[in-house]
């Protein structure tokens, strides 16, 4: 690419960042890093009525937790700042008026009531009301009024909006990096509002002006903005600017595959749709987050990368650096991508195995009151033995409690399976064998106990099942000899004798 690649993620601070927004940010980040470019964060807060306190900080915190921080944005390397549109509002009016001066836009003084009347009239006749070339001269605007009438209304302070003047009888030839070539008949386009009566630009004007001024080379955004592509291309043309390249990402679909993923789907099926926990500032309602639910950021990013993209190989597990290397915008799919809650758990299970045992032990210890007085190095040794069965840190206690506490009860089915008529005598003899083992390592324990069982010419299950039951309280857990080594000789004997006393 000849130009320095500059992409932007431009969310509105109207609430927590949805998982779809994180995917959009990720694809922008991957594209920028693949081409040694710049990833820009811009806060599009022109709609002040929908502004939510804390949402901007949430967006920034989410990107940082996901390890996809922006290079430029609010408070960071503000080369083209400010990066909040509410702080740039003074510059948009001039651009809107430039479009009026070049006959690409016009003042519209129609009241909401008047437009509603037109809309109802069209509906009664089975038609859809569109404000564009076919009726604009019948409405109240600077195209239908004389210059003197227009000036009079402006001087009187009448409310107005500035609308884009869509061309008639033209065919637009557009290009999208994901969807290919697109043709649009301009006769079906409406004259979109670019500037509102409250003195703020609409998304369309602010978006185009900011992308131009911030030298954005590629616009990678969600499919929901595809209907705006024709207007945006026309705005670039009207200003005489080079348009960036566009790529519209596919929707993230419900787990059923039908319809766009929503918060309601997560609430119904029991999974988060936000990266971080969100507490609504007004209602105080709490929405779950992937971080707080125990997911690793790397697992979530790896999962999201495959929602609408694949590398063209069978490989599924990628570090962020490997994703950057493999990412190609042309391998993004057109079709929607189904969100699979089980698949993200699969990714999390894998990343659990990649975690440092000491760090897992610290997190595990902080979570369980029972571990507050336990040496974290011992906890790390236990974690190492059982984490292959864990998907979340919250799974660790159920998988490892016997390393820290003697069983308080025995699983009834396991007891019935493990305890037979000769079990009591065998366990008594086993205690004697264990007492003679001086080198209390897992390897020595395995050699000596298996040799004893072999010498008695009995099945291994006759000893090993009740032994595991005594140590764990159930017929599960890692290698029995590793458990014995971890809890030590005396605790091993105490647990065997405790079971034996009840037989």
């Amino acid at each position: 690419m000849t130009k320095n690649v500059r992409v932007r993620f431009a969310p509105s601070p109207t609430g927590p960042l949805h998982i779809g927004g994180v995917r959009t940010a990720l694809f922008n980040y991957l594209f920028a890093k693949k081409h040694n470019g710049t990833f820009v964060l811009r806060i599009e807060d022109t709609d002040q009525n929908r502004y939510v306190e804390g949402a901007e900080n949430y967006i920034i915190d989410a990107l940082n937790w996901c390890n996809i921080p922006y290079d430029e944005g609010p408070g960071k390397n503000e080369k083209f700042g400010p990066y909040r549109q509410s702080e740039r509002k003074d510059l948009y009016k001039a651009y809107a008026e430039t479009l009026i001066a070049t006959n690409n836009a016009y003042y519209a003084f129609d009241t909401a009531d008047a437009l509603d009347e037109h809309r109802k009239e069209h509906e009664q006749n089975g038609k859809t009301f569109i404000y564009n070339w076919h009726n604009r001269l019948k409405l109240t605007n600077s195209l239908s009024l004389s210059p003197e009438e227009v000036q009079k209304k402006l001087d009187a302070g009448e409310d107005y909006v500035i609308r884009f003047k869509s061309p008639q009888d033209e065919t637009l030839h557009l290009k999208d990096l994901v969807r290919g070539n697109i043709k649009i008949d301009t006769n079906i386009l409406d004259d979109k509002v670019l500037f509102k009566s409250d003195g703020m630009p609409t998304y369309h004007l602010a978006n185009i002006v900011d992308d131009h001024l911030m030298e954005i080379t590629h616009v990678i955004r969600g499919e929901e903005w595809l209907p705006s592509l024709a207007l945006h291309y026309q705005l670039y043309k009207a200003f005489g600017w080079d348009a960036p390249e566009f790529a519209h990402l596919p929707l993230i679909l419900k787990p059923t595959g039908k319809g766009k993923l929503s918060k309601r789907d997560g609430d119904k099926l029991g999974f988060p749709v936000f990266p971080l926990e969100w507490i609504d500032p007004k209602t105080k309602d709490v929405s779950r987050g992937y971080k707080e639910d125990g997911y690793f950021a790397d697992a979530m990013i790896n999962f999201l990368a495959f929602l609408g993209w694949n590398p063209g190989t069978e490989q599924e597990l990628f570090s962020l650096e490997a994703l950057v290397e493999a990412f190609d915008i042309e391998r993004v799919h057109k079709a929607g991508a189904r969100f699979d809650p089980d698949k993200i758990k699969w990714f999390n299970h894998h990343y659990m195995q990649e975690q440092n045992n000491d760090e897992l032990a610290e997190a595990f210890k902080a979570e369980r009151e029972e571990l507050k007085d336990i040496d974290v190095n011992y906890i790390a040794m236990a974690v190492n033995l059982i984490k292959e069965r864990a998907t979340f840190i919250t799974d660790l206690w159920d998988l490892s409690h016997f390393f820290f506490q003697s069983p308080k009860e025995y699983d009834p089915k396991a007891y019935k399976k493990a305890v037979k008529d000769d079990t009591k005598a065998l366990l008594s003899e086993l205690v004697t064998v264990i007492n003679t083992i001086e080198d209390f390592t897992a390897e020595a324990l395995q050699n000596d106990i298996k040799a004893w069982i072999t010498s008695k010419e009995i099945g291994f299950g006759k000893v090993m099942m009740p032994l595991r039951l005594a140590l764990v309280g159930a017929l599960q857990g890692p290698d029995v000899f590793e458990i014995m080594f971890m809890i030590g000789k005396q605790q091993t004997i105490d647990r065997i004798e405790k079971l034996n006393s009840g037989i």
Side-chain angles (χ1 to χ4, degrees):
M1 295 189 180
T2 54
K3 292 187 288 187
N4 290 329
V5 167
R6 290 177 58 82
V7 300
R8 52 48 167 197
F9 177 53
S12 298
T14 55
L17 183 62
H18 186 274
I19 207 77
V22 179
R23 198 271 307 263
T24 298
L26 172 63
F27 282 21
N28 274 279
Y29 176 91
L30 295 176
F31 187 83
K33 299 308 168 187
K34 176 67 178 276
H35 299 288
N36 297 312
T38 302
F39 174 46
V40 178
L41 174 67
R42 186 172 70 232
I43 303 298
E44 300 203 336
D45 57 350
T46 54
D47 190 346
Q48 290 292 294
N49 292 326
R50 297 179 62 219
Y51 177 82
V52 174
E53 190 69 36
E56 180 184 323
N57 287 337
Y58 178 97
I59 291 165
I60 293 171
D61 290 344
L63 294 179
N64 287 333
W65 178 68
C66 292
N67 297 316
I68 52 173
Y70 56 93
D71 301 310
E72 278 178 33
K76 188 175 183 181
N77 191 23
E78 296 206 16
K79 182 179 178 182
F80 294 95
Y83 290 83
R84 295 180 191 90
Q85 286 187 334
S86 60
E87 297 172 7
R88 302 168 63 84
K89 62 183 180 182
D90 292 341
L91 64 87
Y92 302 119
K93 179 75 178 294
Y95 284 98
E97 289 177 341
T98 296
L99 292 175
I100 291 174
T102 57
N103 198 31
N104 286 295
Y106 57 92
Y107 295 108
F109 300 96
D110 314 275
T111 65
D113 288 342
L115 290 176
D116 197 43
E117 280 296 317
H118 284 291
R119 201 169 284 112
K120 288 177 179 176
E121 186 180 319
H122 275 69
E123 288 172 358
Q124 287 170 2
N125 294 322
K127 299 178 181 179
T128 301
F129 174 71
I130 301 177
Y131 200 133
N132 67 2
W133 59 272
H134 83 280
N135 62 4
R136 61 170 76 111
L137 293 179
K138 301 174 186 176
L139 299 165
T140 312
N141 54 59
S142 58
L143 299 178
S144 63
L145 300 172
S146 69
E148 292 76 21
E149 289 174 305
V150 171
Q151 194 59 51
K152 187 176 178 181
K153 286 181 175 293
L154 293 174
D155 292 342
E158 286 192 26
D159 284 346
Y160 66 84
V161 297
I162 296 177
R163 289 182 179 271
F164 184 71
K165 186 181 176 185
S166 294
Q168 182 180 354
D169 299 331
E170 288 186 14
T171 299
L172 300 177
H173 295 272
L174 314 178
K175 185 179 180 184
D176 185 274
L177 294 173
V178 173
R179 288 148 209 286
N181 295 321
I182 302 169
K183 286 200 300 185
I184 300 287
D185 177 3
T186 62
N187 288 331
I188 66 171
L189 302 175
D190 58 336
D191 291 356
K192 291 287 188 188
V193 174
L194 302 179
F195 202 83
K196 298 176 288 185
S197 56
D198 63 2
M200 289 292 280
T202 62
Y203 166 83
H204 303 292
L205 178 65
N207 179 277
I208 297 307
V209 169
D210 286 345
D211 281 350
H212 173 71
L213 295 179
M214 294 180 181
E215 299 181 6
I216 300 302
T217 61
H218 297 77
V219 173
I220 303 170
R221 59 190 182 185
E223 182 181 286
E224 63 270 23
W225 295 113
L226 195 56
S228 302
L229 183 59
L231 173 62
H232 295 176
Y233 259 109
Q234 289 179 98
L235 282 169
Y236 278 103
K237 182 180 177 182
F239 282 120
W241 299 336
D242 291 334
E245 293 190 66
F246 288 89
H248 289 84
L249 307 178
L251 291 176
I252 297 180
L253 305 175
K254 300 171 186 283
T256 60
K258 296 178 180 178
K260 185 178 178 182
L261 180 71
S262 69
K263 180 180 180 297
R264 186 177 298 174
D265 299 313
D267 292 342
K268 183 179 177 181
L269 298 174
F271 61 87
V273 296
F274 303 126
L276 309 177
E277 182 181 86
W278 169 257
I279 301 174
D280 189 287
K282 290 184 178 178
T283 66
K284 304 305 177 187
D285 289 342
V286 178
S287 297
R288 291 162 56 187
Y290 276 94
K291 177 185 178 184
E292 291 75 16
D293 268 25
Y295 287 85
F296 301 107
D298 289 346
M300 194 184 82
I301 287 300
N302 200 156
F303 168 74
L304 287 180
F306 277 79
L307 288 182
W309 170 86
N310 73 69
T313 66
E314 295 299 312
Q315 183 179 348
E316 289 189 277
L317 298 167
F318 285 81
S319 66
L320 186 58
E321 293 75 18
L323 282 173
V324 169
E325 183 66 28
F327 188 74
D328 183 346
I329 197 73
E330 293 184 1
R331 295 203 64 85
V332 173
H333 312 154
K334 298 177 187 177
R338 186 177 70 85
F339 187 94
D340 184 352
D342 292 328
K343 190 66 175 182
I344 192 171
K345 288 181 181 177
W346 180 86
F347 276 107
N348 212 63
H349 176 79
H350 167 79
Y351 280 94
M352 170 67 83
Q353 315 318 311
E354 301 291 310
Q355 299 303 304
N356 178 279
N357 291 330
D358 294 333
E359 292 176 5
L360 284 177
E362 292 284 1
F364 183 26
K365 181 171 183 173
E367 189 179 86
R368 301 293 305 199
E369 179 69 18
E370 301 93 333
L371 301 180
K372 68 176 184 179
D373 297 324
I374 307 290
D375 186 334
V376 74
N377 294 309
Y378 177 81
I379 298 173
M381 292 171 67
V383 165
N384 182 55
L385 291 172
I386 53 89
K387 74 176 184 180
E388 69 178 3
R389 298 171 181 83
T391 298
F392 304 103
I393 289 173
T394 50
D395 297 336
L396 296 177
W397 178 253
D398 285 344
L399 293 168
S400 69
H401 59 86
F402 46 84
F403 285 114
F404 314 105
Q405 295 179 344
S406 177
K408 294 181 174 60
E409 56 187 22
Y410 304 102
D411 177 74
K413 289 184 179 179
Y415 187 94
K416 186 176 181 180
K417 186 176 182 180
V419 176
K420 305 299 179 183
D421 292 341
D422 56 352
T423 298
K424 191 176 183 73
L426 285 171
L427 289 182
S428 294
E429 193 173 338
L430 176 61
V431 169
T432 301
V433 172
I434 291 171
N435 265 317
T436 65
I437 301 174
E438 294 185 7
D439 180 20
F440 208 76
T441 62
E443 185 178 2
L445 286 164
Q446 179 173 330
N447 291 336
D448 290 2
I449 291 175
K450 284 189 172 181
W452 168 67
I453 294 172
T454 301
S455 71
K456 292 190 70 67
E457 298 183 345
I458 58 174
F460 278 83
K462 276 187 168 292
V463 174
M464 298 306 292
M465 281 202 293
L467 173 58
R468 182 177 290 280
L469 182 67
L471 300 177
V472 177
L475 297 181
Q476 61 189 45
D479 182 80
V480 165
F481 304 111
E482 292 285 0
I483 298 173
M484 294 171 71
F485 165 70
M486 287 283 291
I487 65 177
K489 180 184 283 191
Q490 192 57 54
Q491 181 64 210
T492 297
I493 292 171
D494 288 348
R495 292 188 187 187
I496 296 171
E497 291 181 335
K498 180 183 177 183
L499 173 66
N500 226 14
S501 66
I503 296 176

